[in-house]
Amino acid sequence: MNYSEKISSLLKKGILISPEELEEQLSQEEPKANAKKSNLETTPRKEISETQNKIKIIFNYSKPSKKRLIEDFVSFFNNRFKSLEKIIRQRPELQNLISINKLKFKSEKENASIIGMISSKSETKNNHIILTLEDLTGCTTILISKNNKELHDVARDLVLDEVIGVSGTSGKNILFANSLVFPDIHLNRELKKSPEEKCAVFISDMHVGSKVFLEKEFEKFISWLNGETGSEEQKDLAEKTKYVFITGDLVEGVGVYPDQESDLSIIDIKEQYRTLTKYLKRINPDKRIIICPGNHDAGRLDEPQPAIYNDFAESLLELPNAIFVSNPAIVNIDSSEEFSGFDVLMYHGYSLIYYADNVPSIRAAGGQKRVDLIMKFLLQKRHLAPTHESNMYVADAEEDPMLINTIPDIFVTGHIHRATASQYRGVTLLNTSCWGDITEDQKKRGLEPQPARVIVLNLQTRKVKIVNFYNK
Ligand SMILES: [Fe+2]
Ligand SMILES: [Fe+2]
């Protein structure tokens, strides 16, 4: 694979390091024998009954940070390619599947299929789309003719570094594409339903500590969740709610962007978490809270972000009913002897904006306002951030934690600050709202957040209600 551009950008960011630099750093490092161990745990606390409202952690990334070497980065991309290739290989559409280095033995106009990672994409003067596709054996050029309108429209949305299958006819050092195959979820999966009527609510992006934090609205939400306010129907929903998912950006953080201090009402990050803890402590302990971090939370920004368990967020330990997982993470809820439960894929969503801006059909449909389309796009690619540029990440040589290997029942993201719910092939797609008021700057940038909405998912019917606490 041609990694040089990606490697140089990671070296610049300090995410990758050369072997000589690593050697030098190791010799300078202090021994860490007495390093303080965090008290926060990623497992459920003892006070919670394990028979009701079960939570099982299916995927939680907890490997410590370390500098990665260039070889790690190469293994990371090779492993990602192999995992996605394995998924695509099972597709019946790919007849005469060969590796790229075998293409040269094909005579002209022979049918062939290959699987590869897109390392470049461009358009000819005549608007045909040209791709460079690479596998572990070599690379080739793919041409998608503008005369095949349907295929050309699909190809316009292709992004760099995604892995695809291509069927076509061979030419000299080129494959003329007839069809494209994505890893996708290729079967209509049955919509799983809980035998009992229970609900889960989904929130995120409280940004506590920001001057625009919607304190009254958040308090109203907590009162509703505890059955203290709302219509009879709303009280019933709250009563049935057993799970509260929080997908990141719990606090506004400090130093997230230049001159952020002037936007803060609480300038100490510990105090921001303490204030949030006070709110969350009021939630009835029979409701279980599942928390992953976002890009404003304390901790590293590279994804996967480990669970929030650092000293800054220590106050969250006081919550007897909370568990903390990485971003992304998969948790299974509500399983019993008779029911396998729901797999919930939680991802804060740092990469979402890249695809809102760079996928032509999503951009034309409204960009960030169509987060449902972005989530569907990521499921089709079976990856939370297929393009190298779309997030900051850990180049883990053993596994790619951003791969969507397990197809979830529920896929929830935040970060965009808009509340949406949709469905794609048996997966419920949810994007959570925020608890910061709409600012002039957001209006100027054409963003339209939808603050103070709560998504309530009925696990028995799989129907979604959005409760609106915003009344400005
Ligand atoms: Fe946010
Ligand atoms: Fe965010």
Side-chain angles (χ1 to χ4, degrees), residues 1 9 65 106 181 215 227 247 249 260 313 332 364 380 385 456 464:
M1 305 248 163
S9 98
S65 287
K106 288 267 170 191
V181 176
E215 199 178 336
T247 46
D249 282 359
Q260 190 194 13
N332 179 281
Q380 288 171 331
V456 188
V464 169

Side-chain angles (χ1 to χ4, degrees), residues 38-42 45 308-310 313-314 316-318 324:
S38 173
N39 295 322
L40 277 173
E41 294 166 357
T42 55
R45 311 293 297 281
I308 309 175
Y309 50 168
N310 53 58
E314 213 167 19
L316 289 169
L317 258 178
E318 295 161 25
F324 303 91

Side-chain angles (χ1 to χ4, degrees), residues 153-395:
D153 282 349
V154 175
R156 287 183 69 228
D157 282 351
L158 292 170
V159 293
L160 291 184
D161 310 320
E162 70 168 293
V163 178
I164 58 167
V166 184
S167 279
T169 40
S170 57
K172 247 196 171 164
N173 302 321
I174 196 165
L175 189 70
F176 298 97
N178 298 324
S179 68
L180 300 174
V181 176
F182 301 115
D184 211 338
I185 306 170
H186 56 94
L187 293 172
N188 257 327
R189 294 160 72 248
E190 205 191 325
L191 205 61
K192 223 191 253 179
K193 290 177 178 174
S194 170
E196 269 182 81
E197 191 169 22
K198 287 183 187 176
C199 295
V201 304
F202 297 83
I203 61 164
S204 73
D205 295 88
M206 283 82 86
H207 291 265
V208 173
S210 155
K211 278 182 182 164
V212 293
F213 171 56
L214 292 165
E215 199 178 336
K216 280 198 189 105
E217 284 80 352
F218 198 65
E219 278 187 3
K220 246 195 265 172
F221 155 65
I222 305 269
S223 303
W224 164 75
L225 197 56
N226 286 340
E228 293 152 15
T229 54
S231 65
E232 281 313 304
E233 194 199 350
Q234 286 172 339
K235 279 186 181 170
D236 185 50
L237 274 184
E239 159 81 32
K240 286 176 180 141
T241 295
K242 302 299 174 196
Y243 302 97
V244 179
F245 283 87
I246 306 180
T247 46
D249 282 359
L250 280 68
V251 297
E252 174 62 8
V254 293
V256 179
Y257 54 87
D259 303 323
Q260 190 194 13
E261 271 196 21
S262 57
D263 295 334
L264 296 178
S265 60
I266 306 170
I267 52 165
D268 173 9
I269 194 161
K270 277 191 179 183
E271 196 51 43
Q272 294 178 358
Y273 280 109
R274 273 197 284 270
T275 306
L276 174 71
T277 303
K278 275 184 219 154
Y279 289 112
L280 298 183
K281 253 184 170 176
R282 285 174 43 203
I283 296 176
N284 286 342
D286 72 318
K287 302 183 198 301
R288 306 196 64 180
I289 307 172
I290 305 114
I291 297 173
C292 80
N295 57 307
H296 280 252
D297 286 297
R300 74 154 189 246
L301 273 180
D302 300 335
E303 293 173 352
Q305 295 178 279
I308 309 175
Y309 50 168
N310 53 58
D311 294 343
F312 297 109
E314 213 167 19
S315 60
L316 289 169
L317 258 178
E318 295 161 25
L319 299 168
N321 50 343
I323 66 162
F324 303 91
V325 290
S326 58
N327 167 42
I330 303 174
V331 292
N332 179 281
I333 57 165
D334 215 30
S335 67
S336 61
E337 273 179 23
E338 306 80 51
F339 182 61
S340 59
F342 300 94
D343 285 338
V344 184
L345 170 59
M346 301 173 79
Y347 174 47
H348 176 63
Y350 188 84
S351 74
L352 299 175
I353 292 170
Y354 177 88
Y355 302 99
D357 295 343
N358 288 286
V359 177
S361 73
I362 297 175
R363 200 173 54 223
Q368 290 188 37
K369 285 173 211 155
R370 293 305 309 272
V371 65
D372 57 323
L373 296 180
I374 309 170
M375 295 175 82
K376 179 178 149 190
F377 180 86
L378 298 179
L379 279 179
Q380 288 171 331
K381 313 302 175 192
R382 298 286 289 270
H383 202 277
L384 293 168
T387 305
H388 160 74
E389 265 182 73
S390 63
N391 68 336
M392 287 164 288
Y393 59 90
V394 171

